[in-house]
Amino acid sequence: MKNICEVTGLPVSKIDAFNQIEIGENYATSFEMIGDSIFFMKTSGDMETADLGKLVAERNEFLDLFFTKQGKDPKSRKVVEIRDLSQTRGRPDHHNKNIQTEFILSPDNRMLAFVMIGVPKVSELIYKVGLAFIGSPIPIKICKNYTEAVTYAQNLLIKAKGCDQEKVPVQNRKWFYEDDTFSVEITLPQNNIIVIKGRGYLSKSEIPKLEKLINELYTSGVLQKTRYFRVVDYTHITGTTLQGRIGYLNIWKKFFQKYNAYPTISYICGANYNVKSSIKLLGKFINYNIEFVDTVDEALSKIENQKHESPIQNIKEFKITTNDVNKLISIIGNVAWEMQDLGLEEIVFQDFNNPLDEVVDAVRVLSGDVKSLINNEKKIKTELEIQNQMLRNAKEEAQEANTAKSRFLDTMSHELRTPMNGMIGFIDLLLDTNLNDEQREYAKYIKKSTYSLLEKVQDVLEYTDLENINSSQIKDYIRIQDLIEQLQNKTELQVNKKLEVRYEIDEKVPEYLMIEESCLCKIFNILINNAIKFTPSGYISIFVRFVELEKEEKNVIIQFGVEDSGIGIPTEKHDLIFETFTQVDSNISRNYEGTGLGLAIFKKMVANLNGYVDLESEEGKGSKFTFTLSLKYK
């Protein structure tokens, strides 16, 4: 029993005994051959009840019988196997999965490739995951539909060795692409003749899909190093854009040159004035002859009879009057100045087949293209204006929010600090009165807690206001020696007698550096307070070191830092301590108190000044925090 495959034009062979074979409860399959090398299997039913071992056995028996009838050795023949699973449901059990895996991996499966269509999502996932782990000695592909699967198989067979490819006819091959707005069908009714039928609206978005389709046509091997006849049917094309037309033309040019295969002549069928004019306007890009005909059959008849007139034979004389020329110029002027829109059916010249009619048609097309480009430009400008306005609004809102936040922080800073400073003042007064030992101890504890709370409030307020600290705050040159000495004196007053406070300024450091003094003091105070907190004895060193000159910027690179002999920080915790509300471990938080914001503030402040921070520390061996800035000097 034989039919013809609509996609390939190859004969389809079936054997009655292998039609709707029961392969388990509620599961059946049918086999057929497309040509000599494409084995097609259609299954239906519940995959959970299938017996894939029986399926493989029935499949091998069918192939043996088919090739034996052909007078060929069944064991030496290889096929591209296509399985249609669109009518199946469920998924195979573990046992059947193993059978399928062993079958695919077996060197005796007689397969060049394994193709599936209509695969349920669960089964598709199983195949993909399985293949990712075990790999496959043959190509395995999941296709969307029958046409894609058979086309893939046909192209694969053309490239494969060991198959009787001379028996795969070129005639009646088909390539097809379709979406919601546009479709294309390419067929080969005869050797060296291709017919292209389009339907719908061709826009720029369709070009990548068309390029993929035309690539499949050329890579199939039917159009390489040859001259051929091309027939293009525009009967059902509803419209195109300028970008669509140019993109379509460029695709063909690309493959003409790549595969050295050019049309001898291209017959354009069913084209309206718009299509004809568009093609003529792109004439300088086309290096082959074009002839307009009414139908595909007429084009094929012309090819068959070789009735191709030379361009000289097609030249006819027409009389063009001055009035015709003036009318044409007027039409072009009206379009150019947008004074008049040319109607699609408007008759401009009364003479039948006046050659200037084609010029008017071309003007119509150009007018439409220009208006389309103008409208697109207006649309883009409108969208840009809307986006720019949205950006301006967002910027204004951000500025307003930042201003409101700054006002809030200023208010909160005053409202929180004022009562707390009052509490501290009254506690000092209380401590000057006659208190017994127990009362004095309580008062000291209240004072210590109040200072601790004030410090935490200060940290939080400073952290939330960090974006206001940046390089634009630079105001004047400061004498770095004076600032470091002030910091040393202040630090000596804060520490106990077991701590030595040192300072060091590299002699290469310029005397004056340009930086906002209060900002630099804040950064140093964070590092110094941190060193005091975690250094019960030993030393604290404040230093400023010269790194290098930046001649192009007329700046100097300076490294500032604080080093201590305190408890140190484990290497694996170095990055962690710069995060907000973070300390090395919970014991430190309990023993030394603090918000865990200090070093986060330090890092953010330095970053806002376009600098960078660094840390050298080992547990039990002290710490050295540095920050490096590029500054103007004198």
Side-chain angles (χ1 to χ4, degrees):
M1 181 178 175
K2 290 189 177 181
N3 294 311
I4 297 297
C5 173
E6 294 182 357
V7 178
T8 64
L10 292 169
V12 177
S13 303
K14 299 181 181 180
I15 301 175
D16 290 339
F18 294 90
N19 183 40
Q20 287 297 301
I21 310 169
E22 293 293 331
I23 309 291
E25 185 180 355
N26 298 322
Y27 193 82
T29 186
S30 298
F31 305 144
E32 61 184 46
M33 287 293 296
I34 303 172
D36 290 343
S37 302
I38 301 176
F39 173 65
F40 182 78
M41 177 192 306
K42 187 176 181 68
T43 60
S44 61
D46 189 349
M47 295 182 71
E48 293 182 1
T49 65
D51 182 352
L52 293 190
K54 183 178 179 182
L55 179 69
V56 171
E58 294 286 353
R59 174 252 192 200
N60 290 337
E61 185 178 345
F62 174 88
L63 291 177
D64 289 345
L65 184 57
F66 174 80
F67 287 120
T68 299
K69 286 183 177 181
Q70 299 287 322
K72 299 171 182 174
D73 179 11
K75 302 303 181 184
S76 65
R77 300 294 303 179
K78 289 195 174 185
V79 297
V80 176
E81 182 165 325
I82 300 175
R83 289 192 190 180
D84 184 354
L85 304 176
S86 58
Q87 300 300 316
T88 61
R89 60 185 181 276
R91 58 181 177 179
D93 59 20
H94 182 71
H95 174 68
N96 279 323
K97 282 186 215 173
N98 288 338
I99 292 175
Q100 182 71 0
T101 301
E102 290 173 4
F103 171 68
I104 292 175
L105 295 177
S106 171
D108 299 324
N109 60 24
R110 294 185 279 179
M111 284 197 297
L112 288 169
F114 185 54
V115 184
M116 293 173 285
I117 59 177
V119 182
K121 287 295 181 183
V122 174
S123 298
E124 181 177 346
L125 182 61
I126 290 172
Y127 278 113
K128 287 182 177 178
V129 172
L131 290 172
F133 283 99
I134 66 173
S136 173
I138 60 171
I140 296 181
K141 185 174 179 64
I142 297 175
C143 294
K144 295 179 181 177
N145 51 48
Y146 178 86
T147 299
E148 182 183 345
V150 175
T151 301
Y152 170 79
Q154 185 77 340
N155 292 337
L156 191 66
L157 287 167
I158 288 172
K159 296 177 184 178
K161 295 180 180 180
C163 295
D164 294 338
Q165 294 310 312
E166 68 275 4
K167 296 193 175 182
V168 179
V170 172
Q171 293 89 342
N172 295 318
R173 295 286 304 282
K174 182 188 290 186
W175 291 263
F176 185 74
Y177 150 70
E178 180 180 23
D179 66 12
D180 294 337
T181 59
F182 189 73
S183 67
V184 171
E185 177 186 272
I186 303 176
T187 57
L188 273 73
Q190 300 176 34
N191 286 331
N192 294 329
I193 300 177
I194 67 168
V195 177
I196 306 166
K197 293 183 179 181
R199 182 181 293 271
Y201 190 84
L202 175 61
S203 63
K204 184 180 179 181
S205 62
E206 307 290 345
I207 299 305
K209 305 165 191 174
L210 277 173
E211 182 171 7
K212 182 179 178 182
L213 182 72
I214 297 170
N215 180 62
E216 291 177 0
L217 168 69
Y218 273 90
T219 54
S220 70
V222 298
L223 293 178
Q224 294 189 14
K225 297 182 180 180
T226 186
R227 302 286 284 184
Y228 61 90
F229 298 101
R230 189 169 74 153
V231 180
V232 187
D233 186 2
Y234 284 88
T235 305
H236 299 291
I237 294 292
T238 58
T240 64
T241 64
L242 176 61
Q243 293 87 352
R245 294 196 301 270
I246 293 175
Y248 176 75
L249 187 64
N250 285 335
I251 290 173
W252 283 104
K253 286 184 64 179
K254 171 184 173 181
F255 287 104
F256 291 164
Q257 296 168 1
K258 183 176 180 179
Y259 292 97
N260 192 23
Y262 296 84
T264 302
I265 186 169
S266 185
Y267 288 96
I268 309 299
C269 311
N272 57 27
Y273 87 90
N274 191 44
V275 172
K276 289 181 180 179
S277 299
S278 299
I279 293 172
K280 290 176 181 178
L281 284 170
L282 295 172
K284 73 173 186 176
F285 299 105
I286 301 172
N287 57 358
Y288 49 86
N289 295 325
I290 290 177
E291 185 172 338
F292 294 96
V293 296
D294 293 331
T295 66
V296 172
D297 288 341
E298 183 182 350
L300 294 176
S301 177
K302 282 180 171 287
I303 294 171
E304 184 69 25
N305 298 318
Q306 294 292 302
K307 293 180 179 179
H308 308 310
E309 298 178 352
S310 69
I312 297 177
Q313 291 174 317
N314 284 329
I315 295 176
K316 298 179 181 179
E317 292 185 359
F318 285 90
K319 183 178 181 181
I320 298 176
T321 67
T322 303
N323 186 47
D324 290 339
V325 174
N326 290 335
K327 187 182 288 188
L328 179 62
I329 292 173
S330 176
I331 290 169
I332 295 172
N334 286 337
V335 172
W337 293 98
E338 298 186 7
M339 294 173 62
Q340 177 181 333
D341 189 14
L342 288 176
L344 297 181
E345 304 300 331
E346 182 179 346
I347 298 175
V348 178
F349 301 100
Q350 299 301 321
D351 297 338
F352 181 70
N353 282 339
N354 191 314
L356 292 182
D357 281 329
E358 294 190 9
V359 180
V360 174
D361 288 343
V363 172
R364 283 193 177 104
V365 173
L366 288 174
S367 173
D369 288 341
V370 170
K371 287 180 180 178
S372 176
L373 291 173
I374 291 173
N375 290 335
N376 286 338
E377 184 181 6
K378 289 179 179 178
K379 182 181 178 181
I380 292 171
K381 284 183 177 180
T382 301
E383 291 175 351
L384 285 174
E385 288 174 1
I386 293 172
Q387 291 176 1
N388 288 336
Q389 185 59 48
M390 290 173 64
L391 288 173
R392 287 193 291 269
N393 293 341
K395 181 181 178 181
E396 291 174 2
E397 290 174 3
Q399 289 173 341
E400 291 174 2
N402 191 50
T403 302
K405 190 189 80 170
S406 296
R407 288 198 298 266
F408 172 77
L409 289 174
D410 289 341
T411 301
M412 290 302 297
S413 177
H414 173 74
E415 295 296 332
L416 290 172
R417 288 190 181 100
T418 299
M420 294 181 72
N421 285 327
M423 290 172 62
I424 292 171
F426 276 103
I427 292 170
D428 285 337
L429 292 175
L430 180 62
L431 288 170
D432 290 337
T433 63
N434 294 323
L435 300 174
N436 60 39
D437 292 342
E438 184 178 5
Q439 290 171 332
R440 186 170 298 281
E441 189 67 27
Y442 289 160
K444 288 181 179 179
Y445 184 79
I446 293 172
K447 181 178 180 180
K448 179 182 178 183
S449 297
T450 306
Y451 268 118
S452 177
L453 180 59
L454 182 62
E455 179 185 352
K456 290 177 173 61
V457 169
Q458 180 73 21
D459 284 349
V460 171
L461 291 173
E462 283 188 359
Y463 185 78
T464 55
D465 198 37
L466 278 177
E467 66 269 17
N468 293 327
I469 299 174
N470 51 58
S471 56
S472 64
Q473 283 188 315
I474 295 174
K475 293 181 179 179
D476 203 355
Y477 289 99
I478 64 170
R479 189 171 183 269
I480 201 67
Q481 177 85 24
D482 294 342
L483 184 138
I484 298 301
E485 288 179 353
Q486 290 171 14
L487 289 171
Q488 183 198 23
N489 294 334
K490 179 182 175 182
T491 305
E492 287 176 341
L493 295 174
Q494 293 178 258
V495 302
N496 57 50
K497 294 181 180 179
K498 296 180 181 179
L499 266 177
E500 176 189 359
V501 180
R502 311 169 184 170
Y503 81 89
E504 169 199 343
I505 300 177
D506 192 333
E507 61 181 12
K508 293 183 180 180
V509 173
E511 185 176 3
Y512 291 93
L513 299 173
M514 180 175 278
I515 188 170
E516 209 279 321
E517 184 173 357
S518 65
C519 180
L520 184 60
C521 285
K522 281 183 182 180
I523 296 174
F524 263 118
N525 283 332
I526 290 172
L527 297 181
I528 291 170
N529 290 336
N530 199 64
I532 293 172
K533 183 185 295 185
F534 297 108
T535 309
S537 62
Y539 69 89
I540 293 174
S541 175
I542 306 166
F543 59 84
V544 183
R545 293 170 183 162
F546 172 86
V547 179
E548 64 177 346
L549 287 173
E550 288 184 318
K551 295 182 180 179
E552 294 182 1
E553 300 293 334
K554 296 183 179 179
N555 283 8
V556 62
I557 305 297
I558 299 294
Q559 184 187 73
F560 304 88
V562 174
E563 184 176 4
D564 64 62
S565 59
I567 63 175
I569 303 165
T571 303
E572 65 273 13
K573 301 287 187 179
H574 283 194
D575 292 333
L576 181 67
I577 63 167
F578 290 109
E579 297 180 7
T580 55
F581 306 107
T582 301
Q583 293 186 337
V584 172
D585 58 44
S586 58
N587 290 330
I588 287 180
S589 180
R590 286 193 297 269
N591 295 337
Y592 295 95
E593 299 185 343
T595 60
L597 278 175
L599 292 176
I601 294 172
F602 157 64
K603 184 176 181 180
K604 187 73 180 291
M605 290 179 71
V606 172
N608 288 347
L609 294 173
N610 300 321
Y612 62 90
V613 304
D614 195 16
L615 166 63
E616 296 177 22
S617 180
E618 291 184 37
E619 190 171 9
K621 296 184 179 181
S623 303
K624 180 167 72 174
F625 289 90
T626 62
F627 59 101
T628 306
L629 302 173
S630 173
L631 304 171
K632 294 188 180 301
Y633 67 95
K634 69 176 184 179

